[in-house]
Amino acid sequence: MGAQATLDSAAAAPRKTEPKTAKPGGAAIPYATITDTFSLVEATTKRLEILSLVTDLFRRVISRGGGPTNLLYTVYLCINRLCPDYEGLELGIGEGLLVKAIAQSTGRELVRIKKDLEAKGDLGLVALASRQNQPTMFRMQALTVPTVFHGLKEIASASGSKSQDKKLAVIKRLLAACAGDESKYLIRSLEGKLRIGLAEKTVLVAVAHAVMLERGAAEDELEAGTNVVKAVFSELPSYDIVIPALLEHGVDGLRARCRLTPGIPLKPMLAKPTRGVGEVLDRFDGQEFTCEYKYDGERAQVHGYTRDGRLEVRVFSRNSEEMSGKYPDLVAQMPRAIRPGVDSFVVDAEAVAWEPGADDASPGRLLPFQELSRRKRKDVQADNIAVRVKLFAFDLLYLNGEPLLHLALSERRRMLREHFVPVANEFDYATHCDCSTTADMQVFLDASVSSGCEGLMVKMLVGPDATYEPSRRSINWLKLKKDYLAGTGDSLDLAVIGGYYGKGKRTNVYGAFLLATYDEDLETYQTVCKIGTGFSEADLEAHYALLHPLEVSKKGYYDAGEAKPDIYFEPRVVWEVKAADLSLSPVYTAARGAVDARGISLRFPRFVRVRDDKAPEETTSPQQIASMYRAQATAGTRESLEDDEYW
Ligand code: AMP
């Protein structure tokens, strides 16, 4: 089946994409081919060397043939995922089960494995050492890439009453067949973290390079081709579709075949923070721009497509997770906001908690985000909903078979208004004002805050800089939050990786926490601060209930610096915090080396809220923390206003 066919079927009827197994005659790649590369990658920190090692791996895989599956599985094993994000199948098996599997498959006692884990702090190394102690009775068949991939998938999808037993059985089966370093990487994959310092963006570049080089491209063609692959992938973040298309048609044929497709969430465009109306006007000086209310809700990318004559609506989060189960009311409401003649669309919007007015004459009001965050994440029953949700649409990215990303915002907005209509208490356009003076903007900002919004989003409206830039935190979108104006700075989203036991009446809970930022290049968490204020007693109890099951025995792969919490947690929980300012610190490690040999820390951090819409890898990054520090140090300059690109 060609890539076009794959794409077409996805466009017409997005569904879980199950890659086919290797074609008959195609040689399965030994798992050791991948783990050998992992060892080499782990041994270096040089970006270019890592890129060339992974490119070389992919070239060998491609040249062995066997159809796109070999490359696809290899890529998934390198990024430690099993499918696109929106299909929601995840690794991250608990330490307890893995310890049990290692014990049972090597015949060692559980307590000894736990002791080793205390000493080594890395279950992968423990698995490796345990196997080395254990003479192999008979030679198992060597592991292959498809066997490992399917095994991991079987483990991640096991559900039901006997799921732990099922998982254990598959893990033991795989472990028994491991040779050399394989068990180390297998266990780390199961834990959900490879920790070899291989970032996904490097993997994507390596895929592009490998395919181009195998098709005879010259070195000087690589950069342009890679940019095409990055751009395509940010529109259609599915290796299941992009890799087969790339292998079959090369970079030149990719754009025409892989475009934004309803049902497959694209990575949203994000905004840069600014600290005042003046800074915004500096940036947009002489350009046409627009201000919109910045609603305090949850990003909702709403997709609609027609299948069997019926419109299907699906909602995705800013991390591309499916949220249709959390918002069955949104799914039901959306068709009422669509004008006749629309058969497919992607709307970018904010879902906001909403209190309807007492009668049709009163308009209702916005509620704070916390009201919505109490909802379960899945299987919400429509008749069981306490707080209503209203959608505020600010962009239209796709309409009736055509992506609109390349159009200017003015045009996308015109089409949004032409094809969608406000519905009381259900759907509206984001309130906007195309103002251009400081005074107008200040008035609009005040109006947004008094109606319950966080501030303004200021966006380029016309011209080539007004296109939609997926996955970018762009200087063409600026955010102006009310808090910046009060001088308290932007908030940060940080992962909770450690706890300190409470004192006095807080002895049954953690009294303070260690927060960290995720460094995706180094694949490690760097500490930012200890936080003990901003919590009510009820907060502390809720945090304890959530975090206690996440306790781990060792700091694992955290770059904790001199921070010494009583206990470490698996990185699952993300909090939004505010601080008085940022300072250099000999204790914490965030962004170490970026502005100083010391790390950057928060002074007087205060808990704001739980960010359960964010994964721990999506904390405010060390680079962002460094740029916040620089912006503070050089207050008033525009240093913070540089484009970031994720891919
Ligand atoms: P932040 O989470 O502070 O980086 O702010 C960006 C978020 O603001 C986006 O991801 C949206 O969820 C939200 N938002 C609210 N209103 C708008 C708007 N009018 N345009 C774009 N994003 C908005």
Side-chain angles (χ1 to χ4, degrees):
M1 185 172 67
Q4 182 60 57
T6 317
L7 178 61
D8 284 343
S9 58
R15 64 173 78 93
K16 288 195 188 285
T17 31
E18 176 60 42
K20 305 279 175 294
T21 39
K23 276 181 198 160
I29 310 291
Y31 183 48
T33 311
I34 295 190
T35 55
D36 287 349
T37 303
F38 286 173
S39 295
L40 296 170
V41 168
E42 197 175 2
T44 178
T45 51
K46 298 199 184 88
R47 300 276 104 213
L48 287 178
E49 196 177 325
I50 294 176
L51 176 61
S52 106
L53 285 166
V54 182
T55 306
D56 191 50
L57 167 70
F58 293 162
R59 290 189 70 175
R60 276 181 285 149
V61 171
I62 296 169
S63 62
R64 274 183 88 127
T69 0
N70 272 336
L71 183 61
L72 191 58
Y73 292 167
T74 307
V75 165
Y76 274 133
L77 289 175
C78 286
I79 57 171
N80 212 25
R81 287 224 309 268
L82 301 168
C83 55
D85 289 341
Y86 54 91
E87 291 183 7
L89 196 58
E90 280 178 21
L91 287 163
I93 308 297
E95 193 178 281
L97 191 66
L98 293 176
V99 167
K100 206 163 158 186
I102 297 170
Q104 292 188 8
S105 70
T106 57
R108 299 184 69 214
E109 283 172 53
L110 217 58
V111 282
R112 308 200 75 177
I113 309 267
K114 285 187 182 157
K115 264 222 164 80
D116 283 1
L117 179 57
E118 286 272 314
K120 292 189 200 304
D122 176 344
L123 207 48
L125 291 176
V126 175
L128 187 62
S130 303
R131 272 199 63 79
Q132 279 161 355
N133 292 341
Q134 188 69 21
T136 325
M137 308 292 187
F138 54 91
R139 181 116 194 95
M140 303 277 296
Q141 209 177 1
L143 282 175
T144 65
V145 166
T147 321
V148 174
F149 182 80
H150 288 299
L152 294 178
K153 213 162 179 175
E154 203 179 332
I155 293 162
S157 39
S159 62
S161 58
K162 291 250 160 37
S163 67
Q164 292 303 89
D165 293 346
K166 276 188 235 163
K167 288 180 188 180
L168 190 62
V170 184
I171 299 170
K172 278 162 55 183
R173 195 179 73 213
L174 291 174
L175 271 179
C178 281
D181 269 0
E182 290 173 345
S183 54
K184 171 167 123 191
Y185 295 111
L186 180 73
I187 287 290
R188 288 190 187 169
S189 284
L190 287 162
E191 282 182 297
K193 280 281 170 286
L194 270 176
R195 280 172 265 157
I196 54 170
L198 178 57
E200 186 176 349
K201 59 187 170 199
T202 308
V203 173
L204 187 66
V205 175
V207 169
H209 283 195
V211 171
M212 283 186 278
L213 291 169
E214 283 301 302
R215 294 172 74 95
E219 285 286 331
D220 62 358
E221 292 171 301
L222 295 184
E223 190 178 339
T226 302
N227 287 340
V228 172
V229 174
K230 284 180 181 174
V232 164
F233 192 78
S234 63
E235 247 186 71
L236 190 71
S238 167
Y239 294 104
D240 292 1
I241 300 174
V242 172
I243 285 185
L246 199 52
L247 284 174
E248 193 164 344
H249 304 281
V251 167
D252 295 339
L254 198 59
R255 267 240 157 269
R257 288 172 177 82
C258 295
R259 304 198 307 169
L260 173 58
T261 302
I264 300 178
L266 70 163
K267 304 251 178 264
M269 180 166 173
L270 298 171
K272 283 260 170 186
T274 54
R275 276 167 306 119
V277 172
E279 198 177 7
V280 172
L281 286 175
D282 263 4
R283 159 74 189 115
F284 287 121
D285 191 26
Q287 322 258 13
E288 265 189 74
F289 63 90
T290 183
C291 300
E292 293 171 354
Y293 279 8
K294 183 178 190 307
Y295 292 90
D296 180 17
E298 184 169 11
R299 186 81 172 249
Q301 204 179 85
V302 186
H303 291 226
Y305 48 88
T306 308
R307 179 145 67 179
D308 302 331
R310 277 196 44 215
L311 184 76
E312 283 211 19
V313 174
R314 291 168 74 184
V315 185
F316 297 98
S317 73
R318 85 187 244 159
N319 324 323
S320 307
E321 282 165 43
E322 173 104 45
M323 293 204 297
S324 312
K326 177 174 179 184
Y327 293 117
D329 40 353
L330 261 188
V331 171
Q333 285 163 207
M334 194 64 203
R336 293 192 275 274
I338 300 171
R339 286 222 161 93
V342 173
D343 58 35
S344 59
F345 64 85
V346 176
V347 163
D348 202 358
E350 189 83 348
V352 191
W354 180 255
E355 184 180 86
D359 51 53
D360 287 351
S362 38
R365 74 184 177 103
L366 295 164
L367 299 174
F369 170 81
Q370 272 81 350
E371 298 292 334
L372 270 188
S373 61
R374 293 204 193 105
R375 271 199 193 188
K376 286 193 301 176
R377 298 185 68 76
K378 282 186 186 149
D379 301 328
V380 171
Q381 300 301 319
D383 49 4
N384 222 350
I385 288 173
V387 178
R388 294 190 65 154
V389 60
K390 181 168 177 179
L391 197 71
F392 289 87
F394 48 79
D395 221 317
L396 181 62
L397 312 182
Y398 185 98
L399 185 74
N400 292 345
E402 289 301 323
L404 310 178
L405 306 176
H406 58 288
L407 299 178
L409 174 57
S410 54
E411 191 57 15
R412 302 197 305 271
R413 183 190 274 171
R414 187 189 61 71
M415 295 171 84
L416 175 71
R417 290 177 165 251
E418 191 178 313
H419 295 278
F420 295 80
V421 278
V423 177
N425 301 318
E426 294 186 357
F427 180 91
D428 209 343
Y429 318 119
T431 303
H432 75 271
C433 164
D434 301 343
C435 40
S436 55
T437 66
T438 320
D440 288 351
M441 211 191 270
Q442 194 64 54
V443 170
F444 193 56
L445 176 62
D446 293 343
S448 102
V449 172
S450 54
S451 54
C453 292
E454 286 185 306
L456 300 182
M457 296 291 282
V458 190
K459 302 177 179 178
M460 195 70 87
L461 189 58
V462 293
D465 286 344
T467 58
Y468 191 92
E469 302 167 74
S471 85
R472 269 191 152 199
R473 190 176 288 284
S474 162
I475 52 167
N476 297 319
W477 278 20
L478 300 183
K479 55 183 171 177
L480 185 58
K481 287 206 217 172
K482 57 179 183 227
D483 305 322
Y484 308 155
L485 308 174
T488 44
D490 195 6
S491 58
L492 289 89
D493 298 320
L494 297 170
V496 188
I497 63 159
Y500 301 80
Y501 294 124
K503 299 206 172 74
K505 59 180 176 157
R506 290 182 167 182
T507 42
N508 293 331
V509 293
Y510 313 115
F513 306 86
L514 179 62
L515 302 184
T517 163
Y518 183 65
D519 185 319
E520 69 165 9
D521 289 333
L522 301 175
E523 275 196 285
T524 184
Y525 287 84
Q526 301 174 330
T527 50
V528 179
C529 63
K530 176 177 174 181
I531 183 170
T533 43
F535 306 105
S536 65
E537 298 303 320
D539 280 343
L540 287 176
E541 274 170 33
H543 295 329
Y544 186 81
L546 191 66
L547 289 163
H548 184 61
L550 301 178
E551 284 189 2
V552 288
S553 41
K554 249 312 202 185
K555 76 173 182 185
Y557 55 104
Y558 299 142
D559 181 6
E562 296 303 310
K564 304 233 168 5
D566 296 318
I567 200 83
Y568 282 96
F569 305 120
E570 271 178 50
R572 290 277 168 86
V573 175
V574 177
W575 289 349
E576 180 176 342
V577 298
K578 284 231 171 100
D581 56 27
L582 299 126
S583 62
L584 295 174
S585 157
V587 177
Y588 302 101
T589 57
R592 198 159 49 182
V595 287
D596 191 272
R598 289 165 290 176
I600 298 174
S601 176
L602 297 186
R603 291 205 315 140
F604 306 117
R606 211 157 29 83
F607 171 76
V608 180
R609 66 181 182 191
V610 177
R611 286 292 304 246
D612 56 8
D613 58 325
K614 278 204 163 183
E617 293 85 3
E618 288 176 307
T619 59
T620 304
S621 67
Q623 293 77 11
Q624 284 173 289
I625 293 176
S627 92
M628 288 164 98
Y629 178 82
R630 286 193 208 102
Q632 168 189 297
T634 54
T637 72
R638 297 231 333 250
E639 202 173 342
S640 60
L641 284 186
E642 284 162 21
D643 249 4
D644 289 343
E645 197 184 3
Y646 290 161
W647 294 105

